[in-house]
Amino acid sequence: MENSMFCYQCEQTAGGKGCTKSGVCGKTPEIANLQDLLIYQLKGISSYAKPLIERGKSVDKEIVKFVENALFTTLTNVNFDAEVHVRLLKKSQKVKESLRAQAPEGQYPDAAAYNLSDTREMMLKDSVKAGIMYDQNLDADIRSLRSTILYGLKGISAYGHQARFLGYSNEQVDNIYFLGLEATTNDNLTLEDMIRMTMRVGDMAVQVMKTLDEANTSIYKDPSPHKVNVNIKKGPFIIVSGHDLKDLEMLLKQTEGKGINIYTHGEMLPANGYPELKKYKHLVGNFGSAWQNQQKEFDGIPGCILMTTNCMMRPRETYKDRIFSTGVVGWDGVKHIPVLKDGTKDFSEIIDKALELGGFKKDEDEKQILVGFGHHAALSHAEDIVGAVKKGEIRHFFLIGGCDGARPGRSYYTDFAKMVPKDCIILTLACGKYRFNKLDFGTVSGLPRLLDVGQCNDAYSAVRIATGLADAFETDVNSLPLTIVLSWYEQKAVADLLALLSLGIKGIYLGPSLPAFISPNVLQYLVDTFDIRPISTPEDDLSTSLKQAK
């Protein structure tokens, strides 16, 4: 029993159907089953929270924070430490009991009535009933939408966690965790009810990205165009990966004047565009490429790595002693840096280790790429852009972005970007950009042809740019000369996609493969309603986009 699992939440899932023996991500059946049980507990908690919310009561913010962090912990490539999951499970039972005591009398689902067992062995036995496929009689389309809602909520929790760490939150987003999770246990809901909830999760994905954008730009100011060195410099160093700007800022403050170079990695690259972060002279550039190349790129490096959010892979022994995790990230045997009571973190251990390792022996020649085209920077050029389109100098815009992964079919995105005609602009965001962001695209009409909008949560920024341009052209987003080409990998991409759909954006190309949790009928609904298109070949998709634009 304990050697089997079922997980199909990410794009690389085995055979495009589901991982059953162990996760392609490195997740063991034990971790997968503990995560299933944790989600089951969150569903039970939410079943008690929903009637309270409906009666106008606010759920205690500590409970919201717990549910948010527990959801985020189960997202792909976040946490592989069994002890952490057992601790969260024990806490979930206390939270459940406190809400059970407040909830009105009534019929509640099994997930609510269930009480956690005492030992890890018993928890693993119990986890069978929490499995995605446990109820064999469940309608396939309902199961599909339940999974879509759950994965959208996991994506939202990642952004919510990031915003909350900066002191920002949104009451509606806080409530959607409970309302959405409750919907995934509610047998009375029809297919239409589930579709409505899926779109509501999309609405809240927009809201949480807006909240996070406000947090990042209020504290670190609006990103502005900035050239980032992508080659290495001599000296001790720490590489900061993930998304959490506050972790980067705290580390920059604690390393000032210590002779340590700080590099961003993966989704932290856009941090180099924020004025309040790029002012630190020892933030020297970006290291390596996309997250899935980390094992090769971190192999035996003479410095340290700090993982702040998801996208951690099994560390090789050659660097396991120099990789540190923080926030919700964790791996068995990897040193974790906790948040202290006052909200700060003490990075002295990673700093000492970086100094001890000594760092790179010599500088490489500089190679620079441009980042920092958030909505503020991009829209400051709106008049020039509109003028250039009206003059026929800019023909079309392509937003090529999303989550990257290791599957070979992902060369599509590189090929597509290379084939985009010279009179078109490419907007990009999230780590999908590592497929092409070091290529030289030159300029068109005085503007860089490649505009890096930021992290995956900056899908909000891309929407702001699109709506800003639509206003300038006195039209709507779907009438713009704009094609969106998305790559998906994990659950934040699900939240991003639902966000775009909830805004009524149509004709999105999605790849490299379609989610295993989308049933044929649900896919047909998305195609009929939103004209979603699975990617084909770069040549055909490009030619279709440009033909339709005429």
Side-chain angles (χ1 to χ4, degrees), residues 145-198:
L145 290 166
R146 283 182 175 185
S147 294
T148 307
I149 288 167
L150 173 62
Y151 303 149
L153 292 172
K154 287 189 184 196
I156 288 173
S157 76
Y159 300 149
H161 164 91
Q162 220 177 318
R164 204 176 304 274
F165 193 36
L166 292 169
Y168 285 71
S169 62
N170 173 305
E171 186 78 11
Q172 282 186 295
V173 173
D174 290 354
N175 285 342
I176 198 64
Y177 297 134
F178 304 104
L179 301 177
L181 283 165
E182 190 277 338
T184 66
T185 66
N186 191 329
D187 294 330
N188 300 321
L189 299 181
T190 63
L191 212 53
E192 286 70 28
D193 294 332
M194 293 303 280
I195 286 168
R196 266 200 300 278
M197 181 53 83
T198 307

Side-chain angles (χ1 to χ4, degrees), residues 323-379:
I323 188 166
F324 293 72
S325 67
T326 191
V328 295
V329 194
W331 197 291
D332 186 29
V334 164
K335 184 77 192 168
H336 189 80
I337 297 170
V339 63
L340 303 171
K341 290 260 191 299
D342 63 356
T344 62
K345 293 181 184 181
D346 177 3
F347 289 114
S348 51
E349 194 172 344
I350 191 170
I351 291 168
D352 293 344
K353 183 77 178 171
L355 290 168
E356 177 201 320
L357 288 165
F360 295 119
K361 294 286 181 272
K362 55 179 197 286
D363 288 348
E364 287 179 342
D365 291 340
E366 288 221 344
K367 174 181 167 64
Q368 294 183 320
I369 60 172
L370 196 59
V371 302
F373 284 94
H375 54 87
H376 180 80
L379 289 173

Side-chain angles (χ1 to χ4, degrees), residues 233-460:
K233 294 187 102 53
K234 185 181 168 187
F237 65 92
I238 298 170
I239 294 162
V240 185
S241 189
H243 307 74
D244 247 318
L245 303 185
K246 188 175 177 181
D247 283 324
L248 175 62
E249 182 194 30
M250 289 191 287
L251 184 67
L252 285 166
K253 281 182 177 162
Q254 290 179 37
T255 46
E256 218 167 2
K258 294 203 165 136
I260 294 176
N261 290 325
I262 305 293
Y263 298 88
T264 55
H265 173 265
E267 279 277 63
M268 201 57 95
L269 167 64
N272 291 281
Y274 287 91
E276 291 298 308
L277 295 171
K278 66 183 173 189
K279 69 182 185 187
Y280 290 94
K281 295 287 174 277
H282 61 304
L283 179 59
V284 295
N286 190 71
F287 178 89
S289 54
W291 69 272
Q292 72 274 7
N293 303 324
Q294 66 188 259
Q295 289 166 319
K296 187 168 82 242
E297 291 176 348
F298 294 165
D299 197 18
I301 53 170
C304 293
I305 308 116
L306 176 67
M307 303 299 291
T308 66
T309 53
N310 64 313
C311 299
M312 183 173 188
M313 296 172 78
R314 178 191 296 280
R316 289 183 179 173
E317 290 305 316
T318 55
Y319 63 86
K320 197 169 181 181
D321 66 330
R322 55 202 67 177
I323 188 166
F324 293 72
S325 67
T326 191
V328 295
V329 194
W331 197 291
D332 186 29
V334 164
K335 184 77 192 168
H336 189 80
I337 297 170
V339 63
L340 303 171
K341 290 260 191 299
D342 63 356
T344 62
K345 293 181 184 181
D346 177 3
F347 289 114
S348 51
E349 194 172 344
I350 191 170
I351 291 168
D352 293 344
K353 183 77 178 171
L355 290 168
E356 177 201 320
L357 288 165
F360 295 119
K361 294 286 181 272
K362 55 179 197 286
D363 288 348
E364 287 179 342
D365 291 340
E366 288 221 344
K367 174 181 167 64
Q368 294 183 320
I369 60 172
L370 196 59
V371 302
F373 284 94
H375 54 87
H376 180 80
L379 289 173
S380 68
H381 295 285
E383 271 181 49
D384 308 338
I385 292 171
V386 172
V389 172
K390 286 184 174 163
K391 279 190 227 150
E393 290 169 9
I394 296 175
R395 178 168 31 151
H396 202 78
F397 299 88
F398 291 91
L399 171 61
I400 310 175
C403 297
D404 201 13
R407 206 183 268 248
R410 288 179 176 270
S411 59
Y412 168 95
Y413 297 93
T414 317
D415 298 340
F416 192 104
K418 283 180 177 168
M419 286 176 199
V420 168
K422 298 276 184 279
D423 57 356
C424 300
I425 281 181
I426 300 169
L427 299 162
T428 189
L429 52 84
C431 61
K433 64 171 153 269
Y434 283 102
R435 294 271 162 189
F436 49 82
N437 71 337
K438 288 178 186 171
L439 304 175
D440 185 3
F441 288 95
T443 59
V444 57
S445 192
L447 287 160
R449 283 190 55 232
L450 181 70
L451 302 180
D452 186 341
V453 177
Q455 296 181 333
C456 52
N457 45 279
D458 291 310
Y460 172 74

